[in-house]
């Protein structure tokens, strides 16, 4: 088979590493990829938002399966465009991806399907929004309706905080059109976890549950980020909870989307909060999580390609996923300044070593400079990921690998996988 991976992050490096192990794969391509992905795939210099360019490459190279990593191209209709040429795509249509692309739509789907989630209301007018938040004492989560690169949620504790968040989104338009409409949710509390399933439009196959660390600093302090590390499994999701998520969240969501003529084929990500009143969905994503994918794929045994192809073709009935019982931990190395303005172009040393069985360094924001040296090129530079006999052992091995990597100004959390 000829496979094309779309994306350039740690998630896509993990996908490339896993897919390259499949005996079914004859050629592996990635667009635009990164130097880590280039160890497993040939790179095409096409940006992820160039829908026509990507579809053209898929046709020209007789690609048999396109695997799309990020939400942007999915919401922009890449899967629809590629499917029009008769090429199977792992990743939902724009209509199905709206479950991530519009938080108001996601809430509508959840309500219609009876999926447990926080109470909410939708606003595009600041006065009414503020009155609603005030009536709740400011204990709300203010969410930009559209895609905001993981920065569209502000959890508030006072009316003043809610007012500031609403003003920023609805008046100052800090997220542009994405924040021209907001969802105000009642504020929940409890531990969080992510459950991701491969979906074929009708059936779901759960990947092992994971937990990510969204705040920049140790002890969950500091600003929100795309994710500073992740681990799998998590004791927040024992087997019984995973079954509950399948029955009460993922299957109802897939059925409701199908009922609306928007069958979901790809990875559906449920962000969960385990509240004292039971589990609640706080978000859906239309794709695999980053960095959750890195430890999840380390644990997945066997060939991933038949499962991706089956989801893309709409029939997962014959697919069973086997999971390594050993936990995995992935720790993100971030560039100086992240999650604010980052410095790039710093030399990265030690990232391309062989770290031994069960340890992988997945690259994200990396590039080669004119001299061919590996340099930093983004906020999240790489994810050092390791399997271990238990969580502590996996953590120790991931940090050992990180300890051998050098990046000026690079920083990482010291408590990934500490629960
Ligand atoms: P997101 O950007 O959608 O991943 O949300 C960022 C974070 O906001 C989540 O990981 C939660 O910690 C928090 N959050 C989202 N919704 C709520 C809510 N209804 N109540 C409390 N916290 C929330
Ligand atoms: N790590 C959370 C996400 O991928 O959205």
């Amino acid at each position: 088979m000829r496979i094309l991976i779309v994306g350039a992050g740690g998630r896509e490096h993990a996908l490339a590493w896993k897919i390259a192990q499949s005996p079914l794969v004859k050629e592996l391509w990635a667009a635009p990829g990164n130097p880590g992905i280039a160890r497993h795939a040939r790179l095409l210099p096409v940006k992820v938002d160039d829908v026509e360019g990507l579809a053209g490459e898929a046709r020209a190279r007789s690609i048999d399966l396109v695997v799309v990593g990020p939400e942007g191209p999915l919401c922009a209709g890449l899967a629809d465009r590629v499917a029009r040429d008769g090429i199977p795509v792992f990743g939902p249509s724009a209509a199905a991806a709206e479950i991530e692309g519009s938080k108001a739509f996601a809430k509508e789907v959840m309500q219609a399907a009876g999926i447990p989630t926080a109470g909410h209301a939708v606003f595009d007018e600041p006065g009414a929004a503020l009155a609603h938040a005030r009536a709740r004492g400011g204990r709300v989560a203010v969410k930009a309706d559209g895609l905001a690169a993981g920065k569209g949620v502000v959890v508030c504790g006072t009316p003043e905080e809610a007012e500031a968040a609403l003003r920023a989104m609805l008046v100052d338009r800090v997220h542009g059109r994405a924040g021209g409409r907001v969802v105000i949710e009642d504020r929940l509390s409890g531990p969080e976890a992510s459950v991701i399933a491969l979906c074929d439009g009708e059936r779901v196959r759960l990947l092992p549950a994971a937990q990510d660390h969204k705040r920049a600093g140790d002890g969950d302090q500091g600003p929100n980020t795309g994710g500073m590390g992740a681990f799998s499994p998590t004791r927040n999701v024992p087997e019984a909870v995973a079954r509950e998520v399948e029955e009460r969240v993922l299957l109802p969501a897939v059925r409701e989307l199908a009922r609306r003529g928007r069958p979901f084929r790809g990875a559906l990500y449920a962000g969960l909060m385990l509240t004292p009143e039971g589990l609640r969905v706080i978000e859906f994503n239309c794709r695999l999580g980053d960095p959750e994918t890195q430890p999840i794929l380390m644990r997945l045994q066997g060939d991933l390609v038949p499962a991706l192809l089956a989801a893309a073709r709409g029939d997962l009935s014959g697919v069973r996923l086997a999971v390594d019982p050993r936990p995995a931990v992935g720790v993100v190395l971030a560039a100086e300044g992240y999650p604010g303005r980052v410095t790039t172009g710093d030399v990265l040393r030690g990232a391309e070593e062989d770290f031994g069985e069960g340890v992988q360094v997945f690259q994200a924001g990396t590039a080669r400079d004119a001299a061919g040296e590996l340099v930093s090129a983004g906020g999240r530079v790489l994810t050092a990921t390791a399997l271990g006999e238990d969580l502590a052992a996996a953590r120790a091995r991931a940090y050992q690998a990180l300890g051998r990597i050098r990046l000026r100004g690079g920083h990482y959390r010291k408590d990934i996988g500490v629960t």
Side-chain angles (χ1 to χ4, degrees), residues 212 214 226 269 285 287 289-292:
D212 78 347
K214 287 212 168 77
Y269 170 125
N285 292 327
R287 51 169 173 86
D290 190 344
E292 290 94 329

Side-chain angles (χ1 to χ4, degrees), residues 200-224:
D200 66 2
E202 187 184 335
R203 285 159 286 252
V204 303
R205 292 288 181 269
L206 266 59
L207 298 171
Q211 196 173 324
D212 78 347
H213 298 260
K214 287 212 168 77
R215 299 297 194 98
D218 289 351
D220 291 331
Q221 301 299 307
N224 238 337

